Each structure stands twice: as C-alpha cells, then as structure tokens.
Amino acid sequence: MSDDTTPFSGDIDWGALRTEAEDAMKKAYAPYSRYPVGAAALATDGRIVAGCNVENASYGVTLCAECSLVSMLHMTGGGQLVAFTCVNGQGEVIMPCGRCRQLLYEHSVPGMLLETVSGIRSIDEVLPDAFGPRDLEEFHA
Ligand code: THU
C-alpha cells in the first residue's frame, strides 16, 4: 500500500470512516462530561476499527475513544493504523487529545493520515519529533 516515507492517499474513504466514527460515538459512555466521542481508523489490512469514550466516576480513569480503538485493533488481528478520524456528539471532527496522539503514534504506519480540524494531516504533523518505540530500540541496541 505504501512505503515508509509515502503517506497513504487516494484510496481512503474519509466519509465512510466518519460514518463509522459516528456509529461508535453513539455507543459512548459519557455521563460525566456528556461529551460523547467516536473514533474510527483504517488498519493496514483494510479493516476498520473503531472506539468510543468510556468515562468513570473517578474522572482521571476515563478512557478516550482512541483507547478502545487501539484495543479493537489488537483484539481483531493487530496491524497498524493507516488513516484516522474522530468526531464529537454533533458529528464534528475533533482533534485527538495530546495523550491520544502519542497512543496513535505507537500504532501508526509511518505517515499515517488523520482527518483534523485543519484538513488531512500526517501523524508527524500532529505530533512532531515524537518519542516512540524506535528511541527505546536505539537506546538498547
Ligand atoms: N475524549 C476522547 O475520547 N478523545 C479525545 O481525543 C478527546 C477527549 C473524551 C474524553 C472525555 O470522555 C470527553 O472526551 C471529554 O473530555
């Protein structure tokens, strides 16, 4: 589909991905913030994974939609993320929070694309100079 330097383009059906994110958003458990979030992503093998936020009475324990998306990625066969989108309860595209950008980075193909509030961006644009698995590998090499 792509090499290490070329971001994926062309084949990504952002509308379909957003529809999956909206469906996931409807499953959110967000009684505290009342801000449901749904996320969806295309995996390297072409399947779509999704997630919703799951809040907790102990607020800090809340799981963002990206957390359940990454769990679904691994629970349904692994692989990496090629393209990602995320919506709120009004179906508006929102940015993944800082923590979740790091979470997505760990599981992304190089150059993964995100639908953002400022258009299609690569993971490197939304998380510049990221710390990641390669830093640990290099340190221990
Ligand atoms: N939230 C997400 O699920 N993902 C994000 O990237 C941003 C924030 C959730 C967490 C919390 O349940 C609610 O949105 C309000 O912050």
Side-chain angles (χ1 to χ4, degrees):
M1 249 170 133
S2 170
D3 60 32
D4 276 8
T5 54
T6 316
F8 295 86
S9 55
D11 293 325
I12 296 159
D13 185 344
W14 291 104
L17 217 49
R18 221 174 311 113
T19 299
E20 295 284 344
E22 284 173 22
D23 287 348
M25 176 271 292
K26 291 171 189 153
K27 296 174 182 156
Y29 175 73
Y32 305 109
S33 71
R34 288 177 285 116
Y35 189 84
V37 177
L42 181 66
T44 32
D45 66 357
R47 76 190 194 283
I48 288 178
V49 292
C52 62
N53 54 336
V54 180
E55 296 187 343
N56 193 282
S58 180
Y59 288 10
V61 183
T62 286
L63 303 173
C64 282
E66 292 85 342
C67 300
S68 67
L69 181 150
V70 165
S71 293
M72 184 173 173
L73 176 73
H74 288 282
M75 287 296 290
T76 60
Q80 290 177 301
L81 303 173
V82 172
F84 170 90
T85 192
C86 188
V87 299
N88 66 15
Q90 290 164 350
E92 297 164 338
V93 170
I94 61 166
M95 295 303 290
C97 75
R99 172 186 179 276
C100 287
R101 293 180 202 195
Q102 181 73 27
L103 187 65
L104 293 170
Y105 179 77
E106 179 86 16
H107 305 282
S108 63
V109 296
M112 179 184 100
L113 296 176
L114 300 89
E115 186 175 44
T116 78
V117 295
S118 53
I120 306 300
R121 300 274 178 253
S122 73
I123 186 73
D124 303 299
E125 289 175 296
V126 302
L127 192 68
D129 300 325
F131 178 86
R134 206 167 301 127
D135 294 283
L136 296 179
E137 282 161 24
E138 283 170 10
F139 181 81
H140 291 294

